[in-house]
Amino acid sequence: MATRIAALAAALWASAHGHGLPPYTPELRDSLWEMAKKEASKSSDGGASHVCGYGTWGDSGQLNQWDQGFSPCWPSTLNAAATWDIELMARWSVEMAQEFGKPNRGQLGPGVNVARYAWNGRLAEYMSGEDPFLGAKMIEAQVSAGRKVDSPAVQVVKHWIPNTIEKDRNGMTEVVDERTLFEVYYPPFQAAVDAGVSAVMCSYNLVNCTS
């Protein structure tokens, strides 16, 4: 799918400009979106050529199809958030939510942890990047849109709080003062709760030596 999207982008560039990248316009966004949606829909029948991976995991930050054994190829959370496009985030959320099919299936996400450590191997799962305000706006759009489908999944926002690194996550403590917690780490979670998220997943680490 990524190859086909890249080819489409290249064709648009060649026909419109002849050099440089095409401007990011609503028309270009919609064209790429429709192509990606068409490719992702092919995974619904389990077609091996159109899924990211088989087994029991997939992209748990977004669409964990562990009970079906496959996950459609959706962009990572951070990719979607990097567009700064709230409307696109909402559309992305609806399309993913519809993939769940049955009501009350669990979604191990969305993830909103603020990026504070560049070596965290799961940063692609989190929509905040380094900006809690961005994360709050994006999670509000995602949760609200995802609740509007006929059979919404049980959305579980994660990881509370603050989860900045995977290594030794069960044995480390995050030392954070109260003001930083309220100004940096809490806003995306507050926005998720206000938007109607189903549940909150705890982080594995201690915070100020407290579980």
Side-chain angles (χ1 to χ4, degrees):
M1 181 177 67
T3 301
R4 297 186 186 185
I5 291 175
L8 174 61
L12 291 171
W13 155 74
S15 62
H17 298 277
H19 61 83
L21 293 175
Y24 180 76
T25 64
E27 292 76 20
L28 176 60
R29 178 194 65 187
D30 292 344
S31 295
L32 295 175
W33 180 267
E34 290 303 320
M35 174 169 280
K37 185 170 67 172
K38 181 178 179 181
E39 289 298 312
S41 68
K42 296 177 183 178
S43 68
S44 298
D45 61 5
S49 63
H50 300 287
V51 295
C52 291
Y54 273 71
T56 58
W57 202 238
D59 182 2
S60 65
Q62 287 318 310
L63 188 55
N64 191 348
Q65 298 276 25
W66 55 269
D67 60 342
Q68 294 187 28
F70 63 88
S71 293
C73 292
W74 290 104
S76 73
T77 317
L78 191 58
N79 279 131
T83 65
W84 292 70
D85 190 329
I86 293 176
E87 179 188 346
L88 185 63
M89 174 63 77
R91 291 171 61 186
W92 178 71
S93 179
V94 168
E95 296 292 343
M96 283 194 303
Q98 290 173 338
E99 285 282 349
F100 279 83
K102 302 175 184 177
N104 299 318
R105 292 182 61 207
Q107 178 183 7
L108 299 184
V112 296
N113 290 126
V114 177
R116 304 290 279 176
Y117 186 69
W119 288 2
N120 182 356
R122 297 180 67 178
L123 288 182
E125 292 183 35
Y126 307 134
M127 67 182 64
S128 297
E130 297 179 290
D131 188 344
F133 181 78
L134 172 66
K137 290 298 183 182
M138 287 295 182
I139 190 65
E140 179 183 12
Q142 198 209 36
V143 171
S144 297
R147 306 307 300 162
K148 294 178 180 178
V149 301
D150 292 336
S151 300
V154 176
Q155 296 170 308
V156 184
V157 66
K158 62 183 184 182
H159 300 88
W160 177 270
I161 187 117
N163 178 218
T164 60
I165 189 173
E166 279 294 288
K167 183 175 175 60
D168 298 325
R169 64 184 185 179
N170 293 309
M172 68 179 301
T173 183
E174 300 270 3
V175 180
V176 189
D177 65 88
E178 188 173 17
R179 177 175 177 177
T180 302
L181 286 172
F182 274 91
E183 292 183 355
V184 177
Y185 292 103
Y186 290 165
F189 287 91
Q190 181 67 57
V193 171
D194 291 343
V197 76
S198 308
V200 179
M201 184 189 299
C202 293
S203 61
Y204 299 88
N205 54 275
L206 303 176
V207 179
N208 298 326
C209 299
T210 302
S211 62

